Amino acid sequence: MSSISIIGTGNMARTIGARAIAGGNTVEVMGRDHSKAADLAKTLGGGTTAGEWGTAPAGDIVIVALLYDGVVPVVAQYGDALAGKVIVDISNPFNSTFDGLAHTAQTSIAQEAAKVAPAGSSVVKAFNTVFRHILEKGRPDVFIAGDSAQAKAGVEAFITSLGMRPLDVGGLKMAHWLEGAGLVTVGLANHGVGNLDFALGVTELPA
Amino acid sequence: MSSISIIGTGNMARTIGARAIAGGNTVEVMGRDHSKAADLAKTLGGGTTAGEWGTAPAGDIVIVALLYDGVVPVVAQYGDALAGKVIVDISNPFNSTFDGLAHTAQTSIAQEAAKVAPAGSSVVKAFNTVFRHILEKGRPDVFIAGDSAQAKAGVEAFITSLGMRPLDVGGLKMAHWLEGAGLVTVGLANHGVGNLDFALGVTELPA
């Protein structure tokens, strides 16, 4: 079982928190508005605590559950409070037409977060190809990318505790292409699949 | 059933040609070296013909089965001979470390091919997320992207005739992200999956 902290008190924080508790993990939530974090902790139950914004998270794995443009500033704001932590970026920096990323350079929110994260921390991209309502109840494949094998092993154990299948796609540079896979997922929902009741994943197909 | 032409005489040309014949389609192959095209036509059988390089293809759907750096020059070389055709780009322009594309701009071989393709033609990206040996025998999901609904409908019918499932991800700008999904597929083979016996696809997961 993992000890996780969730930065954010919105829908994704609630969804991941609920599954984390159901999976037997220890959960802390942190919000700019402490009363919202306290409310969410109460809603989640299972011993969830509410931490103070900007202080060292209690969890070994810190999931940043914010809109994409909040991720890098908040990692920078936390600064050394994140030393030694595994920081998980779940964001999707989509443009307004859902056919490109908000950053035109070949980077990702995860890579940018890694640039401002403190020494000894490690950033992992995860969960961004899975729609929230599938995360709520489904058992999807969860793609992850990161440069630290140890950090990825921790995130994989956490994902497995949620009843989902973690699938490593490589180093943190691949986070850019996972953000692209997020766009492909939305494209499938709007075109070839036509609904949201699916996940991108791996199908075993012996040749 | 579709009438297709395949530009190229390599492994991908042979694999797609064989499945196309098995699916009851009419197939023409075209090679710079006409004798190689003639040999491949004979190998494929089922009435496969060998066309003259650079002349108007017999098929309505023209699959460019070349290494990625050959696609745009050859579409340009064919020029008006491709008028009215649906041009299918299947290429994967990977960098040498398999974590980025050969082009750093947010484009794709498919989009670049569209720039040099003649009026009345339409480019569709397809097949690039499927390993060749899976194309040989498997029944994978095949992601496609393109700006023409009519062109995509034609390619979808062809893919369906191969026993595979076509899944539209949107306009041609999405070809860039399908090339990224190709990188994700290779990343999965090298990391989370650890072998090549799978395809990226869609798993229905009612929430």
Side-chain angles (χ1 to χ4, degrees):
Chain A
M1 298 304 105
S2 308
S3 172
I4 70 158
S5 292
I6 301 173
I7 297 178
T9 57
N11 286 335
M12 279 303 283
R14 191 181 67 246
T15 297
I16 292 177
R19 289 216 53 160
I21 290 292
N25 302 283
T26 303
V27 177
E28 173 192 51
V29 292
M30 311 179 99
R32 274 182 220 276
D33 180 341
H34 190 268
S35 67
K36 283 191 184 172
D39 286 350
L40 178 56
K42 193 174 169 187
T43 302
L44 291 175
T48 302
T49 58
E52 290 295 329
W53 182 266
T55 65
D60 302 315
I61 296 173
V62 180
I63 298 170
V64 186
L66 302 171
L67 294 180
Y68 76 84
D69 54 359
V71 175
V72 176
V74 164
V75 169
Q77 183 191 346
Y78 269 73
D80 287 341
L82 294 174
K85 303 297 184 185
V86 175
I87 302 163
V88 179
D89 166 39
I90 66 171
S91 71
N92 272 314
F94 296 158
N95 69 8
S96 60
T97 47
F98 297 97
D99 56 6
L101 300 180
H103 33 253
T104 51
Q106 196 165 303
T107 186
S108 60
I109 298 295
Q111 286 161 277
E112 297 304 310
K115 290 177 185 170
V116 301
S121 67
S122 192
V123 175
V124 174
K125 185 91 185 182
F127 291 108
N128 77 296
T129 61
V130 187
F131 294 123
R132 186 171 63 82
H133 76 290
I134 296 290
L135 274 183
E136 270 176 0
K137 299 180 192 164
R139 307 179 81 76
D141 287 344
V142 178
F143 298 133
I144 70 171
D147 286 336
S148 161
Q150 191 183 350
K152 285 194 284 193
V155 174
E156 286 170 349
F158 172 63
I159 291 169
T160 302
S161 82
L162 308 183
M164 304 173 188
R165 177 167 66 160
L167 287 171
D168 181 10
V169 304
L172 198 62
K173 279 184 75 177
M174 290 299 294
H176 176 73
W177 304 111
L178 285 187
E179 292 179 353
L183 287 167
V184 168
T185 308
V186 172
L188 287 163
N190 289 335
H191 298 91
V193 176
N195 63 63
L196 300 166
D197 293 333
F198 71 95
L200 200 65
V202 157
T203 309
E204 319 279 335
L205 285 166
Chain B
M1 296 305 104
S2 309
S3 173
I4 71 159
S5 291
I6 302 173
I7 297 178
T9 57
N11 286 335
M12 280 302 281
R14 192 181 66 243
T15 297
I16 292 177
R19 289 216 53 159
I21 289 293
N25 302 283
T26 303
V27 177
E28 174 192 51
V29 292
M30 311 178 98
R32 274 182 220 277
D33 181 341
H34 188 268
S35 68
K36 283 191 184 172
D39 286 349
L40 177 56
K42 193 174 170 188
T43 302
L44 292 174
T48 302
T49 57
E52 289 295 329
W53 182 265
T55 66
D60 303 316
I61 296 173
V62 180
I63 299 169
V64 186
L66 302 171
L67 294 181
Y68 77 83
D69 53 0
V71 175
V72 176
V74 165
V75 169
Q77 183 190 346
Y78 269 73
D80 287 341
L82 295 174
K85 303 297 183 183
V86 175
I87 302 164
V88 179
D89 165 40
I90 66 171
S91 69
N92 272 315
F94 295 158
N95 69 8
S96 59
T97 47
F98 297 97
D99 55 7
L101 299 180
H103 33 254
T104 51
Q106 196 165 304
T107 186
S108 60
I109 297 296
Q111 286 161 279
E112 298 305 310
K115 290 176 184 169
V116 301
S121 67
S122 191
V123 175
V124 174
K125 185 92 186 182
F127 291 108
N128 77 296
T129 61
V130 187
F131 294 121
R132 186 172 62 81
H133 77 289
I134 297 290
L135 275 182
E136 270 175 1
K137 299 180 194 166
R139 307 179 82 76
D141 288 345
V142 178
F143 298 133
I144 70 171
D147 285 338
S148 161
Q150 192 183 346
K152 284 193 284 193
V155 173
E156 286 169 349
F158 172 62
I159 291 168
T160 302
S161 82
L162 308 183
M164 304 173 188
R165 177 167 68 160
L167 287 171
D168 181 10
V169 304
L172 198 62
K173 279 184 74 177
M174 290 299 294
H176 176 73
W177 303 111
L178 285 187
E179 292 180 353
L183 286 167
V184 168
T185 308
V186 172
L188 287 164
N190 289 334
H191 298 91
V193 176
N195 64 63
L196 300 166
D197 293 332
F198 72 94
L200 199 65
V202 158
T203 309
E204 319 280 335
L205 285 166

